[in-house]
Amino acid sequence: GENVEQHPSTLSVQEGDSAVIKCTYSDSASNYFPWYKQELGKRPQLIIDIRSNVGEKKDQRIAVTLNKTAKHFSLHITETQPEDSAVYFCAASNTGFQKLVFGTGTRLLVSP
Amino acid sequence: EAQVTQNPRYLITVTGKKLTVTCSQNMNHEYMSWYRQDPGLGLRQIYYSMNVEVTDKGDVPEGYKVSRKEKRNFPLILESPSPNQTSLYFCASSRGINSPLHFGNGTRLTVT
């Protein structure tokens, strides 16, 4: 089955810096890669997703890149702000396998 | 308002006392799933359902049951709770396995 590894487990940056979170997946048939943000005490919420027919997707300060050959995808946050502090989860799924598997999460702390 | 509603938000119970956590969505989603969240382990899938009367095991199904008699409801049943089931539980729904998940607000369960 699919296995998703996420690194780092914790990431501390200064406000205004960029942050990068990386995930690798094991199943080459996986074709959907969402990212969720979970603020303290809240539910996870989708912030961006990418499908296997696209290499990069951007939404304001957030971008996701996908390298299908290497089976890894990354979340990039530019000009970080204190409100970006949260736990971020990557995930991978494929229609045939009918499973969505999450990484173990990255706690991002943005210091003013 | 489109939402996934879980109840209760907090639950403290004793070992062996059967309990049910309810989950309901108003978005006519076909796919529903239960996750448990534990520190350092991320979101692990317990059970999922692709449609009415169709359920399947996730990665950690032991000690849990589910049912999908109606499209909108997907209750999680713990027939004989044990302390190792103390966790934060999330219900989620989506249009399909490769679509964004909408999470409920979570249920924090403590089994003593």
Side-chain angles (χ1 to χ4, degrees):
Chain A
E2 176 68 277
N3 182 51
V4 177
E5 295 188 357
Q6 183 172 347
H7 299 281
S9 57
T10 59
L11 179 59
S12 294
V13 299
Q14 292 291 122
E15 184 176 359
D17 288 349
S18 295
V20 181
I21 302 170
K22 299 181 179 180
C23 290
T24 60
Y25 61 98
S26 59
D27 189 347
S28 57
S30 289
N31 54 9
Y32 176 62
F33 307 92
W35 286 87
Y36 291 85
K37 175 184 180 182
Q38 185 180 28
E39 297 177 356
L40 188 63
K42 301 284 185 64
R43 59 188 162 182
Q45 292 190 290
L46 181 81
I47 53 171
I48 195 167
D49 57 8
I50 192 168
R51 301 184 189 275
S52 58
N53 58 348
V54 176
E56 183 176 4
K57 184 177 180 181
K58 290 183 179 180
D59 183 2
Q60 299 182 5
R61 297 185 297 107
I62 294 173
V64 57
T65 58
L66 172 64
N67 183 325
K68 287 192 295 182
T69 302
K71 290 189 283 188
H72 67 71
F73 56 113
S74 300
L75 178 71
H76 305 254
I77 306 174
T78 58
E79 301 174 20
T80 54
Q81 302 168 2
E83 50 265 40
D84 294 328
S85 296
V87 177
Y88 292 81
F89 292 98
C90 64
S93 76
N94 68 72
T95 307
F97 196 46
Q98 295 186 348
K99 290 282 293 285
L100 176 70
V101 179
F102 284 87
T104 50
T106 296
R107 183 173 300 278
L108 174 65
L109 177 61
V110 181
S111 302
Chain B
E1 179 188 355
Q3 60 185 357
V4 178
T5 303
Q6 272 181 251
N7 281 298
R9 290 293 308 276
Y10 302 92
L11 181 57
I12 301 174
T13 190
V14 296
T15 299
K17 186 175 182 181
K18 181 179 178 180
L19 66 90
T20 299
V21 184
T22 63
C23 175
S24 180
Q25 50 94 4
N26 63 359
M27 295 168 279
N28 201 36
H29 284 166
E30 293 188 345
Y31 181 85
M32 297 187 74
S33 183
W34 276 102
Y35 296 90
R36 61 178 288 173
Q37 184 175 15
D38 303 289
L41 298 177
L43 292 158
R44 295 182 294 167
Q45 190 177 51
I46 303 171
Y47 269 95
Y48 65 97
S49 169
M50 299 298 291
N51 213 326
V52 176
E53 301 291 1
V54 180
T55 63
D56 211 342
K57 296 178 180 179
D59 297 316
V60 288
E62 296 78 18
Y64 305 94
K65 287 175 57 177
V66 293
S67 68
R68 188 89 182 274
K69 297 178 182 177
E70 306 164 285
K71 198 170 189 178
R72 63 183 294 127
N73 296 323
F74 191 45
L76 179 70
I77 303 158
L78 284 71
E79 294 270 4
S80 183
S82 62
N84 64 10
Q85 293 178 299
T86 292
S87 186
L88 178 59
Y89 292 86
F90 285 101
C91 179
S93 73
S94 70
R95 289 181 297 168
I97 189 65
N98 282 1
S99 296
L101 278 172
H102 298 256
F103 285 85
N105 283 326
T107 295
R108 186 166 292 281
L109 172 65
T110 302
V111 183
T112 60

